[in-house]
Amino acid sequence: MSGVNKAIVVGHLGGDPDIRTGQSGKRVASFSVATSEQWRDKTSGERKESTDWHKIVVFSDGLVDIAEKYLKKGSKVYIEGKMKTRKWTDQGGVDRWVTEVVLQAFNATIVLLDKREGGVTPASDEGDYGSQRSGAADGSRPVVAPRGGSKPAGAPGADMDDDIPF
């Protein structure tokens, strides 16, 4: 019996993506995404918040391009990939582990949830956001802009000066 390994993270980038080129010449993007939850403490009535940080690693060429061109510190994103834990030994000989959301080839997605500069005003809540998916050459699903007043790229009347890469 096989299992399902699918991770979905919706949050804000903690910093600009780090784009590196490996020994093979293949580019890799990495960044962290913060997710927060808020609640009211039942005993004190005080408002509380908890933030979790998720390491994201992008191996898909099309999504590395999207990350490099469009993601920046504070960007709100929807990330879909799979969880992977890897182990290494640090310089002091201590074994270390890290769990990451990996975006590689098929079933990997980045959705930009922020408004585009000079474009649509942001939606009032996440239910107003949507995505238009377009398959990249490597089978990944780069994603673009919020729904609302804008038209899909290529639609009649769409702005041809749009900076979306498809």
Side-chain angles (χ1 to χ4, degrees), residues 44-89:
S44 68
E46 183 182 346
R47 186 173 212 142
K48 302 263 184 167
E49 182 175 352
S50 174
T51 301
D52 290 308
W53 288 93
H54 311 275
K55 291 183 174 284
I56 312 296
V57 181
V58 183
F59 292 102
S60 168
D61 290 332
L63 294 180
V64 170
D65 290 341
I66 296 289
E68 182 176 43
K69 292 177 185 174
Y70 299 102
L71 298 184
K72 62 184 190 302
K73 181 178 180 176
S75 294
K76 186 170 185 180
V77 293
Y78 168 100
I79 301 291
E80 188 175 314
K82 65 182 189 175
M83 300 295 295
K84 283 205 170 186
T85 300
R86 61 183 171 88
K87 175 185 171 188
W88 78 95
T89 304

Side-chain angles (χ1 to χ4, degrees), residues 93-152:
V94 177
D95 287 343
R96 304 280 184 177
W97 289 266
V98 65
T99 300
E100 303 163 318
V101 178
V102 175
L103 283 66
Q104 189 170 18
F106 299 100
N107 298 320
T109 304
I110 295 175
V111 180
L112 310 176
L113 297 177
D114 290 325
K115 72 173 186 167
R116 289 182 289 150
E117 290 186 26
V120 185
T121 56
S124 59
D125 65 56
E126 289 181 329
D128 291 338
Y129 282 100
S131 65
Q132 297 182 12
R133 296 177 179 207
S134 172
D138 60 5
S140 60
R141 299 177 297 177
V143 193
V144 291
R147 274 191 298 207
S150 68
K151 295 184 180 185

